Amino acid sequence: DYRTQSRWQYPALLQEHSCIASINVPLRSETGVFGVLEVDHTEPRVFTSDDINFLTGLASIVGQSIHLRRAMEEAEQVLQQKNLLLREMNHRIKNNLSLVSSVLSLQSRRIPDRAVRNELDNAIQRINNLSLVHDRLQMFGQMDAQIDAHSYFGDLAAMLRSMLPPGIKLSTLCSGSMPGDCVESLTLIANELVTNAVKYAYVDGPG
């Protein structure tokens, strides 16, 4: 009873709400004590060891929950910052690829040697393919997701088909799913296979 003892200070907040008895237990986490859990009563009361044990257990649960919540919020902030940096990096990559392609295209128009122009055009084609692949990869943010292979490579083939010379046909035949962390490697392999096939497989005519 705060009114009949002099050891503890009688807080103004408790006086305002007519609370005359209270018990406090520490809120703990893995990093130590960071607060208290307090129970107040409006009548004189002697808190037993059972009361203390119960509140100590409750404080442990509350403390761990608060600590977990803070950790989750911090992790979410870090993830948001990383995603922001990743989007900025991808934007710069796309702009740089576009700039390189434009510079090579201008250079190709100024060179009279057909063989050199052909090599520059091949380089431009490959850069454009990389830009398309890069755009496609940005659609998959969750690397632990399962990607439908038929749908994905069908869409990829449609993008590559628009860049093929007239008369060249490109079709896909695949099924099942693939993990998201394999998409980048498989996309680059598929792009390289298509590029080499178009360049070397049908020297005498389209196929």
Side-chain angles (χ1 to χ4, degrees):
D1 189 338
Y2 282 109
R3 300 171 301 178
T4 60
Q5 59 82 40
S6 58
R7 181 180 179 185
W8 310 106
Q9 183 180 1
Y10 193 2
L13 180 62
L14 296 185
Q15 296 181 41
E16 180 181 347
H17 293 84
S18 300
C19 294
I20 60 176
S22 64
I23 180 175
N24 298 285
V25 292
L27 290 174
R28 301 178 184 274
S29 67
E30 296 178 356
T31 58
V33 176
F34 66 90
V36 295
L37 175 63
E38 179 174 310
V39 175
D40 304 310
H41 206 279
T42 57
E43 295 181 1
R45 176 172 179 176
V46 176
F47 294 97
T48 66
S49 59
D50 290 337
D51 295 329
I52 296 175
N53 291 335
F54 173 78
L55 288 177
T56 300
L58 179 61
S60 177
I61 296 174
V62 173
Q64 293 295 331
S65 299
I66 294 175
H67 177 73
L68 178 60
R69 179 61 182 175
R70 289 176 176 175
M72 292 176 62
E73 290 177 349
E74 292 176 358
E76 185 176 354
Q77 290 178 356
V78 171
L79 181 60
Q80 290 177 352
Q81 292 176 355
K82 288 184 177 180
N83 288 337
L84 180 62
L85 292 175
L86 182 60
R87 288 195 297 269
E88 178 65 22
M89 181 186 68
N90 288 330
H91 181 68
R92 292 186 180 185
I93 289 175
K94 184 175 181 179
N95 287 343
N96 289 338
L97 289 174
S98 178
L99 178 61
V100 172
S101 178
S102 298
V103 170
L104 290 179
S105 180
L106 290 174
Q107 190 68 23
S108 176
R109 296 192 188 101
R110 298 174 181 175
I111 295 178
D113 192 312
R114 179 176 294 276
V116 176
R117 285 205 311 271
N118 289 338
E119 290 300 323
L120 286 176
D121 290 342
N122 289 337
I124 294 171
Q125 181 77 9
R126 180 157 296 186
I127 291 172
N128 290 337
N129 286 346
L130 286 175
S131 181
L132 287 175
V133 170
H134 180 265
D135 288 342
R136 183 64 180 169
L137 290 175
Q138 303 318 303
M139 297 176 62
F140 300 97
Q142 297 182 345
M143 300 309 291
D144 58 345
Q146 291 293 315
I147 310 301
D148 181 73
H150 175 76
S151 175
Y152 177 80
F153 285 109
D155 292 342
L156 178 63
M159 288 191 301
L160 294 176
R161 196 179 295 118
S162 64
M163 304 180 66
L164 298 179
I168 299 294
K169 300 178 181 179
L170 176 62
S171 60
T172 59
L173 180 61
C174 57
S175 60
S177 61
M178 54 185 177
D181 56 358
C182 293
V183 171
E184 181 177 1
S185 299
L186 293 176
T187 300
L188 294 175
I189 291 173
N191 176 71
E192 191 68 18
L193 290 174
V194 171
T195 301
N196 288 337
V198 170
K199 187 173 182 179
Y200 300 111
Y202 307 104
V203 178
D204 298 328

